[in-house]
Amino acid sequence: MTAAPHTTDPHAADPHAIDPRTADPAAADPLLVRLGLLRDRVTELVGRRSATDPTAGDPLRGLYLSEEAVRHLLSTGRDDDRSAPPASDPPSGDEDDRPGLLAARLGLGTLDLAILLIALAPDIDRDFEPLYGYLNDDVGRRRATVGLAVELCGLPPHDVSARARFHPSAPLSVLGLMAVEEAERPFLSRSLRVPDRVVAHLLGDDTPDVRIAPYTRLLPADPARSALPVTGPPVARLAERLSAGRLTAYLREDRDGDALAYAVAALDAAGLEALHFAPGTGTGSDSESGPAGSGAGSTAPDPLPALLREARLRGCALVVAPLPQHPEPLVRALASADDVSVLLAGARPYDPQWCDSDPLVLDAPRQRAGDLDVWSAALGVPEAPETLGFDLARVVAPYRLGGERIRRTARAALDLAAFEGTPLSAGHLRLAARQQSASGLEQHARRIRPEVGWQDLVLPEQPLAQLHELALRARHRDRVLGDWRLSAGGGRGRGALALFAGDSGTGKTLSAEVVAAELGLDLYVVQLSSVVDKYIGETEKNLERIFAEADRTDAVLLFDEADAVFGKRSEVTSSNDRYANLESAYLLQRLESFDGIVLLTTNLRANIDEAFTRRLDLIVDFPFPDADQRLALWRHSLSHVPCADDVEPARCAKEFELSGGSIRSAVVTAAYAAAGRGSPVTTADLLAGARREYRKAGRLVLDDSGGW
């Protein structure tokens, strides 16, 4: 390092630099104005030091202590270097004055702001590095130190209040705006460092910290959207509390997404933006490397300080959803931040052990299925949904999606329509909604994407009418059971439950698929092999996983051959009977609290416990088809099959009493025979297929020679 510059011009090191003091005030950056004032102070201090320092011209100054330098230090003090603190308050009222706005928002004093500017100056202007190196008497110490900052602020190094500004509990450290490093050094020679994220923010860059960016997204304030996802007085009250000042609240939800939609609605109504932090999406919060350092083997960096700092820099709230499996460290850390509003969301009841200072605990209101105002606004037709060309209310009625998911569904549907080059249709909307309802049910059930409709059913008038009624109940359950208060109470859900009873092959599973297609939902067929367990209590656990996952999504849940798990309770004559009855009792309670759509099928209705049938909304009996219905079934199965001109399905319908499933199997057998010959299906092929189904069922049938 060379001698200190003997000049009072702080810009002498760079002749091309723009002096913020002489630039157009309207165009000058407030941060640069502040740094210009600081540069004046630094230059003045350097000038005074060099005027009396006999080693100022020594090119090796700062690398060693000469005898002359020691005598100078012993004969003089630094009291003459102290003067009034540097000016740190540029003209107020400037929206671009990020340092001033940050200080006002976080309650920083003039001294705190001056220290912050002194610490970050080398990160913005390299000219400060040699000047700081000279003032630190060490060419390698090119950052501000505690002693230099105190000196530049015109305070004595033994001033208790000045030294307190660098304590770990001081505002700059607690808020994450500045770090005092090198704790092994004497207090006055410890380095000051401002995090890069703080420097970037003060320069106008709002790119979030890389440590939290993968798990955080900005929820911008949109007051025009506030009434859409959730309506009613609870939103207005929560918005009023958020507007009044700092708030920590725990929002408990019945269904995934309800609390987040409630929080977003309240924030929109309050005109506040927020950061949505999802600690379960990769931060390791459920394992040993939790975000709050809850695990003994934690190796991942704790993202909470960066998260809180980001909220402070932006002046926004925090929304944490979903909570990790062990939320105690996270809740305690966020609740201790007394300058940031935090909204926590989860399905579990609040546990007082999570935090010493209890948050405000609220129940998030249920999301209404098929809120037409939300959907029409998301699709860009808030005033005229009828212009879409289909009945929007009918299409969206089964979906219980929150405001954000509705908007994502609308965007996906519009993208699908644009990709296909066609106007938006009900099919696009249903496909996009099913994608938003994807869940973990496939671990326990087989998913069926419905590809059938009412035209594929051949049923008598009564069961067909009951199936239409089931679809009607599924669409309007929120209005009837919720708005019209016809729920039975006692924690009962708003599910739609139905039993399909009839012989094998009479169309029970097909009818379930048709109902799912009518509602625009996927059908999940529960695999009994993944449910029933020989160990006591495991069957109930498996069923709870299925019901809990089904509660989170929009789907139709089908228990095929339901009498295996919904059978009658019996008198207790052994321990096996006792535990079997416990399983049935659990199912009875779980069905009552279920909010989804459950269909049960059975070939033996008498085996279903009467307590289950009482809780069912509908029991649909599927009769064995008569001759006319069998003929309709034969014709429907042959509708897409090439047939000979003289084919006679009426003969098969009259001679063979087969169910719909058996008729389809007979047609498949005939079709393979015809495909092997390379010719259309004939009556003989149909008769051969029908005889095959009779033999499979163990029934007598005449062969071609007239014998049985």
Side-chain angles (χ1 to χ4, degrees):
M1 173 180 171
T2 59
H6 294 275
T7 175
T8 58
D9 183 8
H11 297 280
D14 184 2
H16 301 289
I18 299 176
D19 189 346
R21 298 166 297 171
T22 60
D24 180 6
D29 189 319
L31 179 58
L32 298 183
V33 173
R34 293 178 183 274
L35 292 180
L37 297 174
L38 175 61
R39 186 196 287 257
D40 289 345
R41 171 62 178 164
V42 172
T43 304
E44 178 186 355
L45 183 57
V46 170
R48 289 204 307 272
R49 287 272 191 92
S50 61
T52 59
D53 188 355
T55 64
D58 187 350
L60 298 180
R61 183 186 184 279
L63 296 178
Y64 74 102
L65 281 174
S66 65
E67 184 178 351
E68 186 180 13
V70 172
R71 286 197 301 269
H72 174 69
L73 290 174
L74 293 174
S75 62
T76 62
R78 295 292 174 83
D79 292 344
D80 58 329
D81 289 337
R82 295 192 297 273
S83 61
S88 58
D89 293 326
S92 59
D94 191 344
E95 295 182 358
D96 295 329
D97 181 16
R98 289 206 167 195
L101 293 176
L102 182 65
R105 185 165 60 245
L106 300 182
L108 299 177
T110 302
L111 181 59
D112 290 321
L113 182 55
I115 294 172
L116 181 63
L117 292 172
I118 292 169
L120 65 81
D123 293 300
I124 298 178
D125 189 344
R126 291 187 61 187
D127 288 350
F128 281 92
E129 292 187 54
L131 298 175
Y132 281 4
Y134 176 82
L135 294 174
N136 286 325
D137 293 332
D138 188 342
V139 294
R141 309 279 290 170
R142 303 166 76 86
R143 285 191 174 275
T145 60
V146 173
L148 177 57
V150 171
E151 191 173 10
L152 287 172
C153 291
L155 298 171
H158 56 269
D159 187 285
V160 176
S161 61
R163 296 171 72 96
R165 312 321 292 172
F166 304 93
H167 193 272
S169 61
L172 290 177
S173 298
V174 171
L175 298 177
L177 302 180
M178 186 185 73
V180 181
E181 301 179 330
E182 301 172 308
E184 72 281 0
R185 286 183 173 270
F187 183 75
L188 293 178
S189 62
R190 294 174 185 174
S191 298
L192 305 179
R193 181 183 297 274
V194 177
D196 293 343
R197 176 67 190 98
V198 178
V199 177
H201 171 77
L202 294 176
L203 290 173
D205 182 4
D206 283 329
T207 304
D209 194 301
V210 295
R211 287 176 292 176
I212 62 172
Y215 325 116
T216 308
R217 65 187 178 103
L218 181 65
L219 300 174
D222 186 359
R225 191 180 60 194
S226 62
L228 296 182
V230 183
T231 58
V235 170
R237 287 195 292 269
L238 182 57
E240 184 178 353
R241 284 293 308 273
L242 287 168
S243 301
R246 189 256 184 191
L247 171 69
T248 299
Y250 177 67
L251 311 179
R252 187 187 178 191
E253 60 188 5
D254 287 331
R255 189 171 183 267
D256 184 38
D258 286 355
L260 181 59
Y262 180 36
V264 171
L267 290 165
D268 286 341
L272 298 175
E273 69 176 13
L275 290 173
H276 176 206
F277 178 55
T281 58
T283 60
S285 57
D286 290 340
S287 62
E288 293 183 349
S289 57
S294 57
S298 177
T299 57
D302 184 0
L304 284 184
L307 179 68
L308 288 169
R309 183 179 63 211
E310 189 70 29
R312 291 173 178 129
L313 293 177
R314 292 177 176 270
C316 65
L318 282 178
V319 178
V320 182
L323 287 182
Q325 183 178 358
H326 303 288
E328 296 90 341
L330 175 69
V331 176
R332 288 179 183 273
L334 293 177
S336 64
D338 57 2
D339 58 338
V340 177
S341 290
V342 180
L343 300 179
L344 307 161
R348 285 176 288 177
Y350 173 74
D351 188 346
Q353 299 297 325
W354 291 352
C355 184
D356 295 332
S357 178
D358 295 332
L360 177 66
V361 180
L362 302 173
D363 288 327
R366 292 172 179 253
Q367 289 295 298
R368 288 181 54 85
D371 194 323
L372 189 59
D373 292 338
V374 185
W375 285 96
S376 57
L379 293 170
V381 288
E383 303 297 333
E386 64 276 1
T387 59
L388 292 173
F390 57 88
D391 188 350
L392 179 62
R394 180 182 178 86
V395 171
V396 304
Y399 303 114
R400 298 172 295 166
L401 300 176
E404 179 61 25
R405 286 193 177 184
I406 288 177
R407 285 184 284 276
R408 292 175 60 179
T409 300
R411 287 195 298 268
L414 293 171
D415 289 343
L416 285 171
F419 176 76
E420 296 179 0
T422 60
L424 180 68
S425 66
H428 295 135
L429 204 55
R430 285 170 171 161
L431 178 58
R434 287 202 298 267
Q435 291 171 351
Q436 290 297 320
S437 296
S439 67
L441 270 175
E442 292 189 32
Q443 301 176 7
H444 314 285
R446 175 171 54 91
R447 185 178 69 171
I448 297 176
R449 285 284 176 88
E451 297 180 356
V452 294
W454 295 107
Q455 70 279 1
D456 297 302
L457 286 180
V458 179
L459 290 173
E461 182 178 349
Q462 182 176 354
L464 194 60
Q466 288 180 297
L467 293 178
H468 281 285
E469 181 185 347
L470 176 61
L472 185 71
R473 283 174 174 262
R475 282 197 178 93
H476 300 290
R477 51 199 161 126
D478 276 339
R479 178 185 299 178
V480 174
L481 299 179
D483 296 347
W484 295 351
R485 303 179 64 84
L486 289 178
S487 176
R492 289 175 173 81
R494 300 178 184 177
L497 313 177
L499 172 67
F500 294 171
D503 293 339
S504 177
T506 51
K508 300 184 296 297
T509 304
L510 178 63
S511 297
E513 188 175 350
V514 169
V515 171
E518 170 67 15
L519 297 173
L521 304 175
D522 287 336
L523 177 68
Y524 285 88
V525 182
V526 177
Q527 305 288 343
L528 294 181
S529 60
S530 66
V531 174
V532 179
D533 197 293
K534 65 179 180 179
Y535 294 105
I536 295 172
E538 291 301 315
T539 299
E540 289 87 337
K541 291 180 181 178
N542 294 334
L543 286 169
E544 176 58 30
R545 294 189 191 101
I546 292 174
F547 280 113
E549 194 64 40
D551 261 332
R552 297 178 56 249
T553 188
D554 292 316
V556 177
L557 198 60
L558 175 64
F559 285 88
D560 206 3
E561 307 297 340
D563 45 305
V565 289
F566 294 85
K568 285 186 175 181
R569 289 169 290 182
S570 60
E571 293 185 3
V572 177
T573 59
S574 66
S575 60
N576 292 335
D577 295 335
R578 176 174 177 267
Y579 288 112
N581 289 346
L582 285 177
E583 178 182 313
S584 297
Y586 160 77
L587 282 170
L588 288 170
Q589 296 173 0
R590 196 61 181 86
L591 283 178
E592 284 192 338
S593 62
F594 188 59
D595 281 329
I597 304 170
V598 178
L599 304 180
L600 315 176
T601 68
T602 180
N603 298 340
L604 301 170
R605 175 178 169 180
N607 287 351
I608 301 294
D609 196 297
E610 292 182 0
F612 287 112
T613 60
R614 184 184 65 80
R615 288 164 172 81
L616 297 171
D617 296 313
L618 287 170
I619 298 179
V620 184
D621 288 310
F622 288 76
F624 197 87
D626 57 21
D628 293 337
Q629 291 169 359
R630 292 198 297 270
L631 178 58
L633 288 168
W634 280 102
R635 288 174 175 171
H636 182 271
S637 299
L638 292 168
S639 58
H640 300 289
V641 179
C643 298
D645 294 336
D646 59 346
V647 69
E648 296 181 13
R651 178 181 173 186
C652 298
K654 181 179 180 181
E655 295 183 4
F656 296 93
E657 295 180 353
L658 297 174
S659 64
S662 298
I663 289 174
R664 179 189 173 279
S665 297
V667 171
V668 170
T669 300
Y672 274 117
R677 296 193 311 269
S679 62
V681 172
T682 64
T683 303
D685 295 328
L686 297 180
L687 291 172
R691 294 189 184 100
R692 175 78 58 82
E693 293 305 310
Y694 258 40
R695 294 190 186 99
K696 284 165 56 178
R699 302 173 67 180
L700 294 177
V701 61
L702 289 171
D703 57 21
D704 295 335
S705 61
W708 293 104

